[in-house]
Amino acid sequence: MSGDQALPGAEPAPQETGKAAFWETPDIYGAYPRLTEDQIARLEEHGQRRSMAPDDVLIREGERCETFFVVLSGSVAVIEDYGTPEEHLLRVHGPGRFIGELGLLYGQVAFYTAVAKEPGEVLVVPLDQLRHLVSQDSSIGDVVLRACLGRRALLVGQGAGFRIVGSRYSPDTRRLREFAVRNRLPHRWIDLETDEEAEELLRRFGVGPAETPLVIWRDTTLLRNPSNAELARLIGLPSLPAGNRHRDVLIVGSGPGGLAAAVYAASEGLSTTVVEAMATGGQAGTSSRIENLLGFPSGISGAELTERAVLQADKFGAGISLPLEATGLHAKDDDHYVVTFADGSEIAARAVVLATGARYRRLQVPGIERLEGTSVHYSATVYEAQQCRSDPVAVVGGGNSAGQAVLFLAGYAPKVYLLVRGDSLEASMSRYLIDQVERHPRVEVMLHTEVTEVIGEEELEELDVVDNRTGEHRRLAARSLFVFTGADPHTEWLAGVVALDSRGFVLTGPEAQEACASPEVWQDRGRPCMTLEASLPGVFAVGDVRSGSVKRVASAAGEGAMAIHFVHRHLGHSAAPGTTGTPAVAGHSDVSPRIRHKESAWLA
C-alpha cells in the first residue's frame, strides 16, 4: 500500500486471532505485515535477541528511536500519550511483526510509546543496520518501507502527534499546517475560531490568542509561533550538519530531479548535499498516484516514490537538510560557488544543481484568500481528503495534476467537479487519466468553466462559476476547492545571477550562453555551455525550473542524472577535492580518484 492510499481515521479494536493466544490489531490495510521466518533470520544476522517483561518501554514518544524491534514472542502495545490522562491504545502487535513507522527510518522522534504487553522476546536491530538492509535487500526493504508509509498514514488519520492551535485566518497557522502536511507529519489542527478545545488549551498553558499559533506536544512541549525550522528540529527532521560545509555538489531542491541528481552524484563518489525549503518530493511528492512512471505498472504514490528516493540517496551518502531556503548564489573563487540561506548559513560547492521546481499558481478571485489553507488547497493529500467525506468538492485545472487529484478525491468525496476553462481535456491531460476521469461515477467534468468568486465566511459554501462562451453564471455547492492551474518557477533569488527566460525559468545550454552577461567566461574555459548548464559555468538546472523542460517525473529524474554527467565534465577542468585548484594537464585527471565515471558518447 502507499502512504496516500485511503485509510480510515480509526482502526478496528484489537481482536483475538485464530493463530495466537493474545489480542492483536488485525492487518486490514497491509500496514502490519508479519515477517517470514527467512526475513527474520536475515535480520537476526544484524541484531540480537532480548527478553522483555510486561510494561518494559521499547520506544518512548518524543524521543529519537535508534533501534528496530521485531516481536519474536509475547506482544507489544503501541500507545499515544502514555502515562497521561489522555493515554489511549493505538494497536497491539504479536510475533512476526515489527515496531516502527516512517520516522524510524530517518531518525525522527517517535509519535507513540511502544510498551511490552505480554512477556516475551524481541529482536533488536540497530537503525544503521536496518537502513542498510532496506536499501540492499528488496524482500525486506519493500515490506518495511510500505508498512512504514502505511503506518504514517494511519497516524495522520488518527490525529496523532503534535497539535497546532491557531486561527484559520492566521498566515502563520497556514504556514505551519502546510509545512506539517507537506512533510507528512502526524498532527491535529485545532481552530481557534471554532474549536472549544482551543480555549481550554490556552487557559491550561496560560497564553492568549495573540500568542498563537501554538505547537503543543505531549502536554509538555509548547512552541509559540515557531518557525518552520524550529518545528523541524522538534520532530527531528534533518538539519545542516555543523563543521565542513564545502561540497563537490550542492543540489538546491529535492523533487525528482534533485533527488535523482543526489543519487547519481553520491553513488559516483562526489560529496553531495541536498537542501530543501519545504519538503522532499516537490510537487510530485503530493501526487496521490503516478500511473505512467516507467517500471511501476500498478502506479506509485508520490509519497512512496519520494521516500524510496530519499533512502537511496542516503544509502550512497548524500546529506539532505531542511528547511533551508536559498536566498543567494555567488562565486567564491574560480572553482567554488557559495549559496546563502535565509537563516544566515551558507554552503560552498564546486558545482551547483538548481532543482527548485515550480509552485502552483494561486487563483486570483474575490473571497479566496481568507479560505486558503482551510477550504482552498493547492495540493490534494490524505490530510485534505479526510475533510471531504460528506460534501462535494471542486478541482480547478486541466492538466495531469488536476486529473490525479480528481481521482484521488473521488475516493473520499461523494461528488467531485472538475472545472476546466478550455473546450477539452486532451490539450494538457494524459489519455489514461482522461479515460478514468470521464468514466468515474462521482466525477462531473465542466468545460468552458471558470471560477469568478469564492463564497463563504468561515468555510467554503459555494462557488460562483461562469461559462466563458455564453457569460452565464451559476452557483456550485462545494465545501473544498483544489487549484491546479499551472506553476511559476521558484527563481526570485536567482534574478540577475543567472539568465532567465521571460517567464522566470532558468535558461540552459546554447540559449544560456547567448544570454550570458559575460560571454568571455566560456572563451576562458575553452568550451561552450553544456546542455543543462546555466549561464554560470558549473551551475546546472534540472526539472521544472529549467526553461523548456518536459513537466514529467521521469524527465526530471533523467535530467538530474544527466546533470551529474556534466558536473563531472565541469570538474575535469577544475580542482579535485583536496587539491590546489590548478587546471588539469594533458594526461592527468584532476577529478577525485574516488570517482569512477563512465563517459557516454550520446551525452558528449
Side-chain angles (χ1 to χ4, degrees):
M1 66 173 289
S2 77
D4 284 321
Q5 185 172 335
L7 293 170
E11 302 170 65
Q15 53 186 279
E16 192 170 3
T17 66
K19 296 183 179 180
F22 50 82
W23 294 81
E24 185 179 48
T25 305
D27 184 22
I28 296 178
Y29 305 106
Y32 312 128
R34 206 177 302 281
L35 298 176
T36 66
E37 292 183 2
D38 182 59
Q39 289 169 333
I40 293 175
R42 289 203 295 279
L43 284 165
E44 194 165 6
E45 294 174 3
H46 302 272
Q48 58 184 10
R49 292 173 175 250
R50 191 175 91 189
S51 61
M52 62 178 182
D55 299 324
D56 280 354
V57 175
L58 306 181
I59 298 173
R60 191 176 297 277
E61 185 175 353
E63 296 181 2
R64 292 179 185 270
C65 180
E66 300 294 336
T67 309
F68 179 70
F69 295 96
V70 180
V71 182
L72 300 176
S73 61
S75 62
V76 174
V78 176
I79 301 169
E80 188 183 18
D81 295 322
Y82 179 68
T84 73
E86 288 78 28
E87 174 181 316
H88 64 280
L89 179 69
L90 294 176
R91 56 194 68 98
V92 176
H93 296 307
R97 289 189 180 178
F98 62 86
I99 312 301
E101 53 91 41
L102 195 59
L104 172 74
L105 299 177
Y106 303 126
Q108 295 176 13
V109 297
F111 291 96
Y112 53 82
T113 297
V115 182
K117 186 172 184 288
E118 295 181 342
E121 191 176 36
V122 290
L123 176 62
V124 181
V125 181
L127 191 54
D128 59 343
Q129 293 294 314
L130 173 67
R131 287 174 176 157
H132 175 76
L133 282 168
V134 166
S135 63
Q136 297 286 345
D137 189 330
S138 61
S139 66
I140 292 177
D142 287 349
V143 170
V144 170
L145 181 58
R146 291 202 170 192
C148 285
L149 283 163
R151 294 177 185 191
R152 173 58 64 92
L154 284 167
L155 286 174
V156 169
Q158 292 164 333
F162 57 90
R163 287 170 285 184
I164 298 174
V165 183
S167 169
R168 64 179 58 200
Y169 305 117
S170 163
D172 282 318
T173 299
R174 291 199 295 266
R175 169 182 57 80
L176 289 170
R177 290 186 63 212
E178 181 184 11
F179 184 77
V181 167
R182 291 287 303 277
N183 283 282
R184 300 172 285 280
L185 300 178
H187 71 285
R188 181 160 58 94
W189 171 47
I190 300 173
D191 189 0
L192 195 63
E193 309 298 331
T194 60
D195 200 320
E196 294 180 0
E197 185 182 356
E199 185 176 349
E200 190 275 328
L201 286 170
L202 294 184
R203 284 199 305 268
R204 185 192 307 178
F205 286 94
V207 297
E211 297 177 86
T212 60
L214 307 176
V215 170
I216 301 172
W217 197 9
R218 295 174 291 131
D219 285 338
T220 59
T221 302
L222 173 69
L223 300 179
R224 290 176 170 85
N225 193 15
S227 66
N228 289 353
E230 289 172 323
L231 178 55
R233 301 296 83 81
L234 174 69
I235 302 304
L237 297 181
S239 59
L240 195 63
N244 179 22
R245 292 188 177 176
H246 287 74
R247 297 290 184 269
D248 290 332
V249 184
L250 173 64
I251 300 165
V252 186
S254 64
L259 290 174
V263 168
Y264 281 89
S267 67
E268 293 173 9
L270 297 173
S271 60
T272 305
T273 290
V274 182
V275 293
E276 169 58 52
M278 177 60 72
T280 54
Q283 289 186 31
T286 68
S287 295
S288 55
R289 203 83 186 154
I290 304 170
E291 295 195 51
N292 60 347
L293 184 60
L294 183 67
F296 296 91
S298 60
I300 186 171
S301 75
E304 183 174 349
L305 181 66
T306 297
E307 302 307 342
R308 286 179 177 275
V310 169
L311 282 173
Q312 197 172 15
D314 178 75
K315 160 187 170 180
F316 290 117
I320 300 177
S321 301
L322 61 90
L324 277 177
E325 182 180 2
T327 56
L329 167 67
H330 65 269
K332 179 181 180 182
D333 51 43
D334 289 343
D335 295 318
H336 295 84
Y337 289 99
V338 170
V339 174
T340 57
F341 303 99
D343 65 357
S345 61
E346 61 181 38
I347 299 178
R350 302 170 68 219
V352 176
V353 177
L354 304 173
T356 49
R359 294 172 293 193
Y360 286 117
R361 296 191 189 110
R362 281 180 151 72
L363 192 62
Q364 303 295 328
V365 296
I368 196 169
E369 186 173 349
R370 66 176 177 271
L371 297 180
E372 287 182 326
T374 55
S375 299
V376 178
H377 310 282
Y378 294 88
S379 64
T381 71
V382 67
Y383 295 84
E384 294 89 10
Q386 287 171 344
Q387 304 172 29
C388 305
R389 293 188 180 277
S390 58
D391 298 299
V393 302
V395 175
V396 177
N400 280 2
S401 294
Q404 290 166 349
V406 163
L407 294 172
F408 177 60
L409 293 168
Y412 290 81
K415 180 77 172 181
V416 180
Y417 298 100
L418 176 58
L419 312 181
V420 183
R421 67 180 179 180
D423 59 2
S424 74
L425 295 175
E426 279 79 1
S428 54
M429 189 179 293
S430 296
R431 185 72 248 174
Y432 80 93
L433 279 173
I434 295 174
D435 292 340
Q436 293 181 56
V437 166
E438 292 180 340
R439 287 199 308 262
H440 203 292
R442 295 185 182 180
V443 175
E444 180 179 341
V445 179
M446 300 176 63
L447 303 175
H448 301 286
T449 302
E450 299 181 43
V451 177
T452 58
E453 185 179 2
V454 172
I455 301 164
E457 290 299 322
E458 295 185 348
E459 63 180 15
L460 179 63
E461 297 172 4
E462 291 182 311
L463 297 172
D464 187 276
V465 300
V466 63
D467 186 316
N468 55 28
R469 295 168 302 176
T470 66
E472 179 184 356
H473 285 257
R474 61 174 288 193
R475 292 290 178 92
L476 205 62
R479 292 296 175 266
S480 293
L481 175 65
F482 296 84
V483 181
F484 301 92
T485 54
D488 296 314
H490 181 34
T491 55
E492 300 91 342
W493 64 289
L494 294 170
V497 179
V498 298
L500 308 175
D501 69 12
S502 59
R503 296 180 299 159
F505 292 89
V506 179
L507 292 170
T508 56
E511 290 181 322
Q513 183 170 346
E514 184 177 343
C516 183
S518 304
E520 64 274 7
V521 299
W522 305 107
Q523 298 171 6
D524 294 343
R525 290 181 177 267
R527 66 172 178 84
C529 181
M530 291 182 280
T531 303
L532 297 177
E533 198 167 21
S535 57
L536 290 176
V539 176
F540 303 86
V542 302
D544 288 0
V545 76
R546 189 178 69 82
S547 178
S549 66
V550 178
K551 305 300 188 282
R552 292 289 186 270
V553 171
S555 59
E559 288 185 8
M562 286 174 62
I564 301 308
H565 168 88
F566 296 125
V567 165
H568 282 299
R569 291 179 59 179
H570 168 72
L571 296 182
H573 293 85
S574 58
T579 65
T580 60
T582 55
V585 296
H588 294 80
S589 170
D590 58 7
V591 178
S592 170
R594 293 176 293 128
I595 299 168
R596 297 294 181 265
H597 177 56
K598 296 181 179 179
E599 292 290 334
S600 300
W602 68 277
L603 286 174

